[in-house]
Structures are given as C-alpha cells and as structure tokens.
Amino acid sequence: MKLLAFTADGLARTGRLEGQQVVGFAGSPDLATVLAEGPPAEEGRWPLSAVTIAAPLPAARLFCIGLNYPKPHPLGGEVKGPAEISYFLKHQEALVPHGAALRPPGVSAQFDYECELAVVIGEPGHRIAESEALAHIGGYTILNDGSVRDWQAHSVTAGKNFWQSGSWGPFVTSADEVADWRKLRLQTRLNGTTVQDSPAGAMFFGLEKIIAYLSTITPLQPGDVIATGSPEGTGATQKPPRFLVSGDRLEFEVSGLGILANTVA
C-alpha cells in the first residue's frame, strides 16, 4: 500500500494510491496513525494528476545517518566503514515535497544532493533488539538529504538544515511491500543522467543495527523517520565536483517506492 498526503479540491487530505487514482481516507488521519492502526474508511477519489502531493509526515522527527556507504567523503578522504554509527537530526523546514522546488542556499555554491532510503517507524519501542528491529518498521519512503558542503565542513547540523534544501516522498510504502530491504536499489538522475546507483545492501550499518542504536538513545515512536545514508555519486565526490545550479532537474528513485522529483529554483 502506498500512502500519501495531498491537497485536492482546496483541502489537505491523506489517502492511498490505487493505480493512477488517489483514494482519500475519511477524516484524513496522519499517515503515522494509518501505519500504526491500519487504513480507515475511504472517502473520495481523484486522478493522481489532479492532486498536489504534500510532505508525507509533517510532524515527524527526522533522524539521519551519515557515512554509511563506501565512497569518497564529500568533504575529502575516503569512507571506509566507520567504527560507530554517526547520526544527526534534520528539521522539517529543510525539506519540500515531491514536485516542489529546492531552494539554493544563497550563501554558498556548494549545494548538493543525496538520495537515501528512509524508514518510517510503525511500532514504538525502546532499546529494541536487532533481531526485532524490522518488526518496528511501518513503511519506507525516499529522502533527498540536501547538503551545503562548505557549511557542513564546520557544522553538520548547519550544512544539512538549510531551508527547503532537501526533499522527501512522494509516498510512504507499507512495510509488507518490501520483502528484503537489502535488494532495494537507490538511483539519482541529474538532468536525465544517472549519477547515483547502488543497492541498499551496500550500507555499512543495516536497518536492524540503526534502529537498535537509535532506540537505545531515545524511545522510537510511530511516524519517526530514519534516513539511512547515501551512496557514491553525490556532486561533491565527482571529479571535478558538480554542485546543483538553478534549473537542474532531479529524480530520486528507490525500486518499488516510486520516484521523488524536484527542480532547483
């Protein structure tokens, strides 16, 4: 089941995708509630082309994992399997939905993209064992961890949280549709050219370990989102570096989860 938040007929709604139709949920519950409790009664149908897709989980906490794929480090050097998980937090205001424009930082020319598999917690838990971690996943989505590299060099939080620098969506795909997360494939296309292409299974730290780690620090709640890192091919690691400029078109795809598309304003 592919869940989405959207606007139709001037109202904010939630629903599910059925082919090229969007089926609305009565009462428009937030998607975290739908993942935890199941879909409610249906109310209304619209062609997908007639709705505007919104941010999937506008109240979610956003946990992001860094240095989680073998690749050149975007700030220099090589990423070779860090000893420990590295995580940071992202603000909701740093992300726009599918179809919206990314906002260049204005104070830097080092504006970059990062395609990431993101998991959505469906079952709460504290100090979750790795063996039980996958049972706490309610769904999956795509997140573009927009990064301003020179600011990231002095502060990860600053470089990762410029207003409207990243994106996420378009859907939250329920966990039952993903048989093996390791076989999911991440791709980014920049102006039609593939620049990132990797299986999720190339991660240094898998989903089980990440969920166990974060739940040791804080209880995880339904609707929490965990972005799990980005593979080789970001603009900073190309030779020469190729950062984003106005007019660029980006497509972030994770197999089976859809395509998150954005332009640079």
Side-chain angles (χ1 to χ4, degrees):
M1 179 170 56
K2 284 185 166 48
L3 305 172
L4 69 160
F6 64 99
T7 300
D9 301 332
L11 295 175
R13 307 173 187 268
T14 57
R16 63 179 178 84
L17 188 66
E18 187 178 282
Q20 291 299 303
Q21 293 275 314
V22 176
V23 180
F25 292 144
S28 296
D30 64 84
L31 298 186
T33 300
V34 176
L35 287 173
E37 301 178 3
E42 298 176 1
E43 184 179 76
R45 283 177 175 259
W46 298 264
L48 179 60
S49 60
V51 309
T52 300
I53 295 177
L57 292 156
R61 293 190 298 175
L62 303 170
F63 300 88
C64 295
I65 304 301
L67 310 177
N68 203 25
Y69 283 85
K71 62 180 180 182
H73 193 287
L75 302 182
E78 193 80 15
V79 177
K80 297 181 179 179
E84 302 291 344
I85 290 174
S86 171
Y87 99 96
F88 57 93
L89 298 174
K90 204 166 186 78
H91 306 316
Q92 284 275 352
E93 293 79 5
L95 299 175
V96 300
H98 168 78
L102 302 171
R103 182 183 296 271
V107 295
S108 169
Q110 296 185 14
F111 185 27
D112 211 347
Y113 54 86
E114 296 192 32
C115 181
E116 307 201 9
L117 171 66
V119 301
V120 183
I121 297 298
E123 180 71 25
H126 187 204
R127 299 174 183 167
I128 300 167
E130 288 185 38
S131 60
E132 299 174 357
L134 296 186
H136 289 261
I137 297 176
Y140 298 83
T141 190
I142 305 167
L143 188 142
N144 161 37
D145 182 22
S147 304
V148 181
R149 298 302 187 188
D150 47 353
W151 283 65
Q152 181 186 350
H154 71 257
S155 167
V156 172
T157 298
K160 297 290 191 175
N161 279 288
F162 270 72
W163 184 39
Q164 298 182 347
S165 59
S167 54
W168 59 330
F171 316 116
V172 175
T173 301
S174 56
D176 62 296
E177 292 196 9
V178 176
D180 185 352
W181 67 266
R182 295 167 185 80
K183 294 182 180 178
L184 297 176
R185 191 157 205 95
L186 287 70
Q187 291 185 313
T188 298
R189 291 178 289 277
L190 173 60
N191 299 327
T193 299
T194 299
V195 288
Q196 290 186 284
D197 189 349
S198 172
M203 293 180 194
F204 293 130
F205 302 106
L207 301 189
E208 298 88 343
K209 188 172 289 293
I210 290 169
I211 290 170
Y213 175 85
L214 291 174
S215 73
T216 301
I217 300 167
T218 185
L220 296 178
Q221 303 296 332
D224 284 345
V225 176
I226 305 169
T228 57
S230 190
E232 162 67 349
T234 57
T237 64
Q238 295 184 29
K239 296 181 179 179
R242 201 300 191 180
F243 294 112
L244 296 173
V245 296
S246 178
D248 279 342
R249 295 173 291 106
L250 289 154
E251 290 184 322
F252 306 97
E253 182 172 7
V254 177
S255 52
L257 305 188
I259 297 174
L260 169 64
N262 301 98
T263 57
V264 179

